[in-house]
Amino acid sequence: MAFDSPLSLPKPKAIPAHLPNGHSPLNPSYSVDIDRNERENAFVSIQSSMGPHREPIDLNDLGSGDAQVETRISNGHNAANPAQQYEEVEDSDIDALELRSAARHERDQAPPTPQPAGRSSSPFTSNPTIDFDGLSWPSAGTLERLRERDSPEDAAARLAKLSGAVRTILECIGEDPEREGLHGTPERYAKAMMFFTKGYEENLRDIVNGAVFHEDHDELVIVKDIEVYSLCEHHLVPFTGKMHIGYIPSRRVIGLSKLARIADMFSRRLQVQERLTKQVALALSDVLKPQGVAVVMESTHMCMVMRGVQKAGAVTTTSCMLGAMRKRAKTRDEFLTLLNRK
């Protein structure tokens, strides 16, 4: 039986240039120095978080800039380190910054996305997230409702007024509010509506509750599949879905559960999905002053399922990108790619 000579075997094909990972030795642009710098940068980040004792960041100190100065001094991190993925940002308003997402190496550079057209201003997004009353984008009457926590008589009067309105609705649709099945329904619905809209009584200071910490981390942090339940302000019927939140820290991180709580606070109001998405993104931006924020929401609206066009399979997707997520296509694509991973 004849065997082919080893010399007759086909030569292995060369690996295409676009296939090797950027950190692979097979990539022509790979160098030992780049790998060493990135490892050292990761080591310094871990070491800084286990260094001198520091207190969690208070939201009252966000505007002073003292917190970030203290962070820079304590972690001893070199901002000029080429392994730093994103450039350091100051503690000023993120919307006023010219944020740039610096690549680890010139091989990873991507052209910035074009500057988007200006957005129309809205009283729910153009004002500060935390106002002088401590509320977050309150509506007219929100402060009055909040003060009723200390006045049980006023709270009971509001509930009775709402119950009477529900009784009127039942009468208007041809029902008998006194029949057995509807006995107590006006009061139950009034209490349920107050729970559905409890976000009006909440604010970022209480939600965050000091859970902002120093951490020298400059890679994406993503919490996916946060269940969201809200009421459409046009028809007062529910829309439900999931929200995905991601951000790139600037040496500040927030407790992961707080991301879900912020989403709940804004969803437990009369909303439209577009505004809800922006409010969550802007709130996280104001609290953390991160290098970038991205929020994506997917939901089903009962106002177009139970009535109107009655399309049960329709899903609405909205997004809001800020900072590095908005400025650079490659950073945004990384976030969206991670969202689609199963």
Side-chain angles (χ1 to χ4, degrees), residues 186-236:
E187 291 76 16
R188 285 192 294 268
Y189 183 83
K191 293 178 181 178
M193 181 59 70
M194 295 298 287
F195 177 81
F196 295 155
T197 59
K198 67 185 180 71
Y200 287 121
E201 302 179 16
E202 299 174 334
N203 62 82
L204 277 178
R205 296 182 190 277
D206 294 340
I207 291 295
V208 174
N209 195 26
V212 179
F213 309 101
H214 299 92
E215 184 65 39
D216 194 7
H217 183 73
D218 63 350
E219 301 283 353
L220 269 170
V221 177
I222 301 176
V223 177
K224 297 168 53 178
D225 299 332
I226 301 172
E227 293 183 346
V228 171
Y229 304 92
S230 191
L231 290 177
C232 166
E233 66 180 26
H234 300 144
H235 304 95
L236 299 186

Side-chain angles (χ1 to χ4, degrees), residues 234-249:
H234 300 144
H235 304 95
L236 299 186
V237 294
F239 66 92
T240 64
K242 294 184 178 181
M243 182 176 288
H244 318 292
I245 304 176
Y247 71 98
I248 304 170

Side-chain angles (χ1 to χ4, degrees), residues 56-78:
I57 299 172
D58 191 340
L59 291 185
N60 294 321
D61 299 331
L62 285 179
S64 64
D66 297 337
Q68 184 172 8
V69 172
E70 188 273 335
T71 304
R72 292 178 186 169
I73 296 175
S74 61
N75 62 29
H77 199 283
N78 183 9

Side-chain angles (χ1 to χ4, degrees), residues 11 27 38 49 79 127 129 140 149 164 189 206 211 219-220 327:
K11 295 182 179 179
N27 192 309
E38 291 178 349
S49 67
N127 298 322
T129 311
R149 290 181 173 181
Y189 183 83
D206 294 340
E219 301 283 353
L220 269 170
K327 297 288 185 180

Side-chain angles (χ1 to χ4, degrees), residues 41-52 54 75 215-216:
N41 182 69
F43 178 77
V44 170
S45 298
I46 296 173
Q47 195 174 37
S48 67
S49 67
M50 304 176 67
R54 292 175 292 187
N75 62 29
E215 184 65 39
D216 194 7

